[in-house]
Amino acid sequence: MSGSGGGAPRIDGARLMGRLDALAQIGAIEGTQGNCRLALTDEDRDGRDLVGTWMADLGLELTVDGLGNVVACTEPGRVADSVMMGSHIDTVATGGRYDGNLGVLAGLEVIESVLASGQTPARPLSVAYFTDEEGSRFAPDMLGSLAYVGGMALEEALEITDRDGIAVGDELDRIGYRGPAPVPGTVPYAYMELHIEQGPVLEFHETQIGVVEGVQGISWTEVTLSGQSNHAGTTPMPLRRDAGLAACRIAGEVRELAHNIGDSQVGTVGSISLVPNLVNVIAGAAVMTVDLRNTSEPMLQHAEARLDEIVSRIAEGEHLDAAMRRTARFEPVEFHPAVIDLVERCAAEAGLTHRRMPSGAGHDAQMLARVCPTAMIFVPSFDGVSHNPAEYTSPEDIEAGANLLADVVWRLANGDIDSALAGDRDAAGNGTAA
Ligand code: HGY
Ligand code: MN
Ligand code: MN
């Protein structure tokens, strides 16, 4: 099996597509190519079981930690020396088959191709999937990798509940994935994540590869508005305390906030729940979520301050009580310059069109970047669509991205940029938090 940049074995594209297809059968959304495998549901368990079988079949040492994060390594006990690849296999409720799954299965494919080649890199390789990356069921997103790098105590993560009051810890026990390995987990030598772009940039520029420089900041806020349920027919308009109206006004002003701040600012009201949510009752309560993101930390803080003002003003105008709870807050992250350069060099050597870019979406890599040299590779999303069953990336782009992952990981594992990374590891060989 001939290598390419640096002698890395080529991956088997058909095998990778076959595994993506097999995993996509679990939690398949009927009539679509998409998936629903919300974190710690039965579907998530079944997906974990399938991927775990593939990991075990390769003879990898599998560890499951107290939050259900799973790491598989080519050499027992050597995750700390390994170059790790990974992502997540949980999905949003209306998810595609590539978001997260590609990074995990491409990592597995790289390992299988290396093992099959009979070549042994200087460092072991590992592949991981992290619990609840999406955060759709249990906020914040990237929960598993956040705890893995010590960004949240295990005890705190286990107590997080979903909308039905069900706790992470109980669901881990129910699906059999509360493992013995410690949280925080073992810091690898370096971390690489292949992921679909989930946006329109690569396709617009007719570019095969995104050389990801970092991830924008993320702020999630849950807003609870309390007014008065009342009769839709008898309550005069001036006497209403309509939580539904206020929620809609806030949603409209979130769109204006993003427009007025401009640049990379985005704002999304993805969920609004009204109580009692009936045609002839004025909503006495509303619970809504606001997702704000910006590549600039000061601008994200400004957007949060604007949101606070919007909610207070609109709630007061409608004589409502308002409560706001931050459910996710991550500052922008920059990946390791030497690893970014390596991705760019390998893409150029492979003759792939490529461009540097930030990530609009959150990823487990933004957590691993706190503790070890980390970067990401993007492949294009058809029509820029993601978090949608219609999510699609071509087999050709997937194979190109996975082979580039193999090239980068092979060079990292053979020490090609050790000197550039040496300063970023403390005496214990652990990465120093960014
Ligand atoms: O929210 C995100 O950006 C990611 O999909 N968890
Ligand atoms: Mn993802
Ligand atoms: Mn996602």
Side-chain angles (χ1 to χ4, degrees):
M1 186 177 289
S2 69
S4 141
R10 297 303 75 194
I11 63 105
D12 180 329
R15 184 168 58 201
L16 173 53
M17 294 311 294
R19 286 197 172 121
L20 279 166
D21 192 54
L23 181 53
Q25 304 316 307
I26 298 175
I29 300 173
E30 199 173 330
T32 79
Q33 293 289 308
N35 281 162
C36 174
R37 288 200 305 275
L38 288 169
L40 307 183
T41 56
D42 290 353
E43 293 75 18
D44 185 21
R45 176 203 56 217
D46 296 347
R48 287 165 169 264
D49 290 350
L50 178 61
V51 174
T53 303
W54 289 332
M55 290 171 161
D57 288 348
L58 291 181
L60 305 181
E61 182 198 50
L62 238 145
T63 55
V64 184
D65 73 16
L67 200 49
N69 296 312
V70 172
V71 179
C73 188
T74 53
E75 294 182 36
R78 292 197 64 202
V79 171
D81 300 324
S82 74
V83 175
M84 182 184 282
M85 298 163 281
S87 194
H88 60 96
I89 58 173
D90 66 300
T91 73
V92 296
T94 55
R97 61 171 54 193
Y98 304 103
D99 176 358
N101 304 316
L102 174 59
V104 176
L105 297 184
L108 190 71
E109 175 55 37
V110 167
I111 288 176
E112 180 156 8
S113 301
V114 168
L115 294 175
S117 74
Q119 303 175 71
T120 306
R123 292 182 172 279
L125 303 180
S126 59
V127 59
Y129 64 79
F130 298 98
T131 295
D132 186 39
E133 188 278 344
E134 292 296 0
S136 303
R137 184 181 177 199
F138 300 104
D141 52 351
M142 287 76 72
L143 176 63
S145 49
L146 175 67
Y148 188 88
V149 301
M152 180 185 281
L154 174 61
E155 296 67 29
E156 182 183 352
L158 293 172
E159 289 170 1
I160 290 172
T161 57
D162 66 7
R163 286 177 179 167
D164 300 322
I166 299 171
V168 166
D170 295 337
E171 285 293 85
L172 281 168
D173 290 335
R174 187 181 66 78
I175 67 169
Y177 272 90
R178 191 199 295 233
V183 175
T186 303
V187 175
Y189 175 74
Y191 179 83
M192 277 302 302
E193 183 166 350
L194 172 65
H195 206 287
I196 54 172
E197 177 203 336
Q198 301 182 284
V201 172
L202 291 176
E203 185 177 69
F204 177 79
H205 292 284
E206 296 179 351
T207 303
Q208 292 168 293
I209 295 293
V211 181
V212 189
E213 297 181 292
V215 179
Q216 65 179 342
I218 301 174
S219 166
W220 287 359
T221 303
E222 180 187 80
V223 180
T224 303
L225 301 163
S226 309
Q228 183 184 47
S229 294
N230 215 327
H231 196 293
T234 59
T235 311
M237 297 310 284
L239 300 184
R240 295 179 177 216
R241 295 175 58 218
D242 186 340
L245 170 79
C248 295
R249 281 188 173 153
I250 290 168
E253 293 215 23
V254 165
R255 169 61 68 94
E256 278 180 44
L257 172 158
H259 177 74
N260 295 338
I261 292 175
D263 291 332
S264 69
Q265 183 64 50
V266 288
T268 310
V269 171
S271 71
I272 296 180
S273 312
L274 299 184
V275 176
N277 203 35
L278 298 171
V279 62
N280 57 353
V281 181
I282 300 165
V287 180
M288 62 191 293
T289 58
V290 183
D291 178 321
L292 299 172
R293 306 195 193 198
N294 198 306
T295 52
S296 150
E297 174 60 18
M299 289 313 295
L300 186 55
Q301 290 176 17
H302 170 67
E304 288 174 322
R306 294 277 302 107
L307 175 63
D308 292 353
E309 184 277 327
I310 289 167
V311 171
S312 307
R313 170 168 42 84
I314 291 174
E316 190 179 335
E318 192 63 22
H319 309 295
L320 306 178
D321 294 325
M324 299 173 76
R325 183 168 71 94
R326 202 74 88 219
T327 57
R329 184 58 169 94
F330 302 120
E331 295 192 4
V333 165
E334 291 180 0
F335 291 139
H336 194 293
V339 187
I340 295 168
D341 289 348
L342 177 62
V343 171
E344 194 169 52
R345 216 165 41 244
C346 290
E349 279 180 19
L352 297 169
T353 53
H354 55 279
R355 60 184 292 118
R356 289 181 175 231
M357 59 190 292
S359 173
H363 299 289
D364 295 308
Q366 74 188 86
M367 300 304 169
L368 274 291
R370 295 184 184 191
V371 295
C372 70
T374 295
M376 290 185 76
I377 297 166
F378 275 171
V379 288
S381 291
F382 178 71
D383 265 356
V385 165
S386 181
H387 282 189
N388 180 316
E391 182 180 279
Y392 178 76
T393 297
S394 73
E396 296 73 29
D397 285 338
I398 284 173
E399 185 160 355
N403 271 318
L404 180 59
L405 178 69
D407 291 344
V408 172
V409 163
W410 184 258
R411 289 188 172 203
L412 281 168
N414 285 303
D416 282 30
I417 62 169
D418 277 358
S419 54
L421 304 185
D424 286 4
R425 313 193 63 74
D426 63 27
N430 279 335
T432 46

